[in-house]
Amino acid sequence: MSEIFEPKKSRFNNPAFKNMCEYNDLMNEFKEDYEATWGRFASEKIEWFKPYDTILDESNAPFYKWFVGGKMNVAHQCVDRHLDTKKNKAAIIFEGDNGDQRIITYRELAYEVNKTANMFKNQFDIKKGDRVVVYMPMIPEAAITMLACAKIGAIHSIVFGGFSAEALKDRIIDAEAKLVVTADGAFRKGTPYMLKPVVDEALKTGCECVKKVCIVERNGEDITWVAGRDYSYNELIKYESSKCEPEMMDSEDPLFLLYTSGSTGKPKGVQHSSAGYILWAQMTMEWVFDIKDNDTYWCTADVGWITGHTYIVYGPLAAGATTVMFEGVPTFPDAGRCWKMIEEYKINQFYTAPTAIRMLHKMGADEPAKYDLSSLRILGTVGEPIDPPAWKWYYEEVGGSQCSIVDTYWQTETGGHMISPLPAATPIKPACATFPLPGIMAEIIDADGTPTEIGEKGFMCITKPWPSMIRNIWGDSERFVKSYFGDCKKDGKPVYFTGDGAMMSEDKYITITGRTDDVINVSGHRMGTAEVESAIKKHPNVAAVAVVGKPHDIKGEGIFAYIVLKAVATQEADQTADELELSKEINKIIKNEIGAIALCDEMAFVPDLPKTRSGKIMRRILRSIVKGEAITQDTSTLEDPSIVGKIESIVRGA
Ligand code: WTA
């Protein structure tokens, strides 16, 4: 059994949970009366324009509805309702790549959100339910745009700035977006980089749905302006009123779409609701980050991912907190940047990904000691399993062995944290997400709902609906049901399956063991093998391809591609071209089709793939080979069992 660290109390003043008894009491309250307990929190936390009639409607499961009949507005919940008590409090502290700063109070944020909302309505004819694609750098206008959409009931769909024009175009078309909000570009590592040219490229063909493009001028570099389509945010905003009435939104009206990778096919547009989503964003902010009125909180994610949505913008602002937004990268100008910012802003909660922790550990193990990090109370990690050495360094060197570490397990689809320690209450174990949060009925079961034995791997399922869960896949209800409610059942009823495996120790601690499907987790970002493979197949010389994740020191997993060339497949030649040259060409295609985040770390050019007689590629064998594991799978069902040895010698010899 791994070492247990007792919760730190010294830096906590009246924490959300003082001990595990309080946790158990609340969990029991949920177990005894699930709906009423959620109802209690919804009434306490949300400022309703009209109260809801029904807490949970399960009549059309798994299309669950929460707080039915209620009227509210997420921008009102995050901004306007704080104006009585916090108008002069910093809502957003922005630090640019080059160190420039902006501090935006709640009052200023309300002004900006209202002006932007009016601009969307008046200049771009955006109405409730219209989709707005946001392709933005990490600047306050990204958060302002999100909130402005929420204010008028438009549905935003943020596309991470690292995605290519093709990927952006696919998402624009799928969402049938009417407006794209972007920036000329921004700054990274001291130099300007561009976003607007990517939007221009994406809009070249097939995006007739997009009528206008709104451009924030951030880096001031030259861009092309298309007359009648492209408008300057900075210009138009000047003429708008700072008053804007919130749209009365139903609890279940969609707040946003966020595309994420699945094991097959194209990325899916995960659709979130208004009331249920914001309720859990706020509750987890208060519980897991123990946010207090004087705290300064910093999450290093990008707004293009779910962590940026829930824990840079919606959660902190709903909780009335001060959230830090950072445009740059943690290693510029050196590996002390984060620690310097923590010292300067007196950050109390710092939330980042294991990839960043591993990188900062490797590049500057002694850097944290050079700064005063005594303001820190909570350190968070998210997105991928954290390995014990990285955890220990984070705990000891960054947290000075004085902070609670919250290893938060959740997904784009869950909207907010599912399994996480509660600071000051949960005794923590390195690299362990610990226990489900109160209200979350997380269970490790087999496909029929039988709980797995202690220490045995099983499916990580959430067996009761919860308010912030995914509501649908945009435009594909069938895929929604199949992807999440098709694999596991409990008491004969389909339950939500996360796609992850997990196991429980004797003392009920949960450890996430990783994806059970073909999703690869690169630097905490989800990559679908099918997406990468379909990009690689666009190369004219490629006959077949299979990609798998390969353990990587910094990124957690890297992408490894097994490629069969056409000439080899048709036995015209053993080798068609220089492999190095081919690898470069293939990666160029991936960069164009998806973006640099999906580049292959390694490629092996092999004579064939291990296929069963029915043509199914046995990826498990391919995964074992890259990990250097002995092949334990039965290879006798393969069309050509000798292929395994041939592939092994190519990979091992490489
Ligand atoms: C993985 C990110 C281990 C998991 C919030 C999940 C984790 C996927 C953890 C979701 C964690 C996330 N420990 N694995 N603490 N947190 N994951 O949708 O495989 O980008 O299914 O959401 O990341 O990734 P997504």
Side-chain angles (χ1 to χ4, degrees):
M1 195 196 289
S2 57
E3 208 174 344
I4 292 197
F5 293 77
E6 282 308 315
K8 299 294 165 193
K9 307 262 187 197
S10 57
R11 293 186 186 185
F12 289 85
N13 184 12
N14 196 18
F17 288 83
K18 292 184 195 63
N19 49 50
M20 287 312 275
C21 294
E22 289 190 357
Y23 165 86
N24 288 326
D25 287 350
L26 184 55
M27 202 48 152
N28 286 335
E29 192 185 331
F30 271 109
K31 282 182 183 157
E32 273 156 31
D33 203 342
Y34 190 69
E35 289 179 29
T37 311
W38 279 116
R40 170 164 81 77
F41 283 109
S43 303
E44 265 173 33
K45 303 282 174 192
I46 292 183
E47 202 163 284
W48 296 97
F49 300 148
K50 175 183 169 288
Y52 53 84
D53 314 307
T54 310
I55 297 169
L56 170 63
D57 174 0
E58 300 188 82
S59 59
N60 191 23
F63 298 91
Y64 298 103
K65 288 183 181 167
W66 283 90
F67 315 120
V68 184
K71 296 271 185 195
M72 46 82 69
N73 181 288
V74 168
H76 176 86
Q77 181 74 11
C78 291
V79 188
D80 302 352
R81 79 181 177 106
H82 300 309
L83 294 180
D84 284 344
T85 51
K86 301 178 198 280
K87 58 181 182 296
N88 293 323
K89 174 175 174 171
I92 298 177
I93 297 179
F94 168 74
E95 179 160 311
D97 178 68
N98 57 17
D100 53 325
Q101 290 176 349
R102 266 171 80 186
I103 297 180
I104 301 173
T105 63
Y106 272 94
R107 185 186 5 217
E108 286 164 333
L109 184 61
Y111 270 36
E112 295 299 323
V113 168
N114 288 349
K115 279 165 155 283
T116 307
N118 286 329
M119 173 173 74
F120 289 170
K121 274 201 293 202
N122 302 334
Q123 308 286 342
F124 303 124
D125 192 29
I126 297 299
K127 300 191 174 65
K128 181 178 171 181
D130 285 344
R131 272 81 58 211
V132 175
V133 161
V134 181
Y135 189 66
M136 295 268 258
M138 281 291 293
I139 54 176
E141 285 77 7
I144 292 165
T145 296
M146 293 162 79
L147 293 161
C149 287
K151 187 102 195 207
I152 60 175
I155 305 170
H156 61 71
S157 171
I158 307 190
V159 179
F160 171 60
F163 279 120
S164 69
E166 272 303 307
L168 174 61
K169 175 173 146 179
D170 283 349
R171 286 155 174 81
I172 290 173
I173 294 174
D174 192 80
E176 291 178 88
K178 195 166 166 186
L179 171 69
V180 175
V181 185
T182 187
D184 44 8
F187 298 94
R188 188 191 293 130
K189 296 190 188 174
T191 33
Y193 72 94
M194 303 305 289
L195 289 172
K196 171 64 166 50
V198 185
V199 175
D200 291 335
E201 182 65 32
L203 295 185
K204 262 188 187 157
T205 52
C207 293
E208 286 73 27
C209 51
V210 173
K211 304 295 173 224
K212 300 277 157 69
V213 178
C214 176
I215 302 134
V216 179
E217 293 173 79
R218 162 66 182 152
N219 66 14
E221 295 291 305
D222 277 344
I223 52 171
T224 318
W225 295 87
V226 176
R229 187 195 76 181
D230 297 353
Y231 295 85
S232 163
Y233 181 108
N234 311 44
E235 252 326 288
L236 291 186
I237 199 87
K238 290 182 193 160
Y239 311 106
E240 295 296 341
S241 150
S242 59
K243 289 204 168 41
C244 176
E245 285 303 312
E247 188 75 33
M248 296 273 268
M249 301 297 283
D250 274 332
S251 296
E252 282 295 320
D253 279 334
L255 177 63
F256 64 84
L257 308 179
L258 182 58
Y259 285 79
T260 190
S261 296
S263 43
T264 53
K266 288 200 165 213
K268 30 195 187 184
V270 171
Q271 181 184 320
H272 276 289
S273 71
S274 296
Y277 170 80
I278 202 67
L279 174 66
W280 191 235
Q282 183 178 329
M283 285 170 69
T284 47
M285 201 61 214
E286 293 169 357
W287 289 355
V288 175
F289 294 118
D290 192 52
I291 202 86
K292 293 285 183 284
D293 211 25
N294 281 327
D295 285 348
T296 305
Y297 159 92
W298 181 22
C299 165
T300 68
D302 188 284
V303 285
W305 307 111
I306 191 68
T307 308
H309 283 62
T310 311
Y311 297 111
I312 293 179
V313 181
Y314 287 119
L317 298 176
T322 300
T323 180
V324 173
M325 256 183 118
F326 176 46
E327 181 190 42
V329 296
T331 49
F332 178 80
D334 56 49
R337 180 72 181 262
C338 292
W339 323 132
K340 181 167 177 281
M341 283 177 63
I342 291 172
E343 177 180 277
E344 184 166 337
Y345 297 111
K346 298 199 176 357
I347 303 286
N348 305 100
Q349 295 89 353
F350 179 66
Y351 191 30
T352 194
T355 293
I357 299 168
R358 287 189 291 264
M359 190 169 63
L360 293 171
H361 181 194
K362 195 167 173 191
M363 291 180 66
D366 303 328
E367 286 292 320
K370 298 181 189 161
Y371 299 88
D372 176 5
L373 306 181
S374 60
S375 58
L376 286 171
R377 208 163 75 229
I378 296 168
L379 296 171
T381 91
V382 56
E384 46 174 328
I386 176 164
D387 45 296
W391 192 97
K392 278 211 128 171
W393 179 76
Y394 200 34
Y395 182 79
E396 287 167 2
E397 302 305 321
V398 180
S401 303
Q402 296 299 315
C403 296
S404 280
I405 294 204
V406 289
D407 179 351
T408 60
Y409 167 76
W410 59 297
Q411 311 178 294
T412 304
E413 293 87 344
T414 67
H417 302 147
M418 293 285 104
I419 302 178
S420 169
L422 291 164
T426 313
I428 45 180
K429 288 189 193 181
C432 178
T434 74
F435 309 114
L437 290 172
I440 301 304
M441 302 303 158
E443 292 182 60
I444 306 169
I445 53 181
D446 66 14
D448 299 322
T450 314
T452 41
E453 301 282 321
I454 299 297
E456 290 286 322
K457 273 191 203 176
F459 298 123
M460 186 74 252
C461 291
I462 320 280
T463 55
K464 265 180 179 294
W466 68 102
S468 69
M469 70 193 293
I470 174 176
R471 292 301 194 271
N472 208 339
I473 290 175
W474 184 254
D476 201 343
S477 304
E478 211 176 298
R479 192 174 175 200
F480 164 72
V481 178
K482 206 163 151 248
S483 306
Y484 304 107
F485 297 90
D487 295 314
C488 297
K489 285 196 167 89
K490 197 188 162 189
D491 304 327
K493 225 172 102 180
V495 292
Y496 178 86
F497 173 43
T498 58
D500 286 302
M503 57 189 186
M504 195 181 269
S505 63
E506 211 139 324
D507 45 3
K508 297 215 159 62
Y509 277 75
I510 295 174
T511 299
I512 305 298
T513 53
R515 302 289 306 189
T516 61
D517 54 15
D518 291 331
V519 171
I520 307 177
N521 194 327
V522 184
S523 305
H525 303 318
R526 271 161 72 170
M527 266 314 131
T529 46
E531 281 166 75
V532 183
E533 287 167 3
S534 85
I536 296 177
K537 278 187 200 143
K538 296 221 158 131
H539 191 286
N541 294 2
V542 171
V545 54
V547 308
V548 297
K550 178 180 177 182
H552 186 283
D553 279 354
I554 301 286
K555 298 199 271 188
E557 274 188 302
I559 302 180
F560 189 106
Y562 293 91
I563 294 170
V564 185
L565 294 175
K566 277 190 183 151
V568 175
T570 55
Q571 299 187 333
E572 278 168 24
D574 284 344
Q575 197 78 32
T576 38
D578 180 1
E579 287 180 359
L580 194 66
E581 206 40 51
L582 269 172
S583 312
K584 280 189 197 151
E585 286 171 19
I586 289 171
N587 261 338
K588 201 167 156 217
I589 296 176
I590 296 177
K591 200 168 170 197
N592 286 337
E593 293 288 315
I594 308 174
I597 47 172
L599 291 179
C600 286
D601 296 89
E602 287 175 71
M603 296 180 203
F605 294 91
V606 295
D608 202 353
L609 298 172
K611 280 180 296 212
T612 60
R613 284 182 202 102
S614 58
K616 191 172 174 304
I617 297 169
M618 288 197 56
R619 273 170 220 280
R620 293 235 317 261
I621 295 181
L622 296 174
R623 277 196 283 263
S624 297
I625 295 175
V626 292
K627 286 186 187 156
E629 292 169 356
I631 310 288
T632 52
Q633 293 87 0
D634 176 14
T635 54
S636 65
T637 57
L638 292 180
E639 197 180 60
D640 170 14
S642 76
I643 196 68
V644 177
K646 290 180 197 157
I647 298 176
E648 263 189 308
S649 66
I650 291 172
V651 173
R652 304 263 150 85

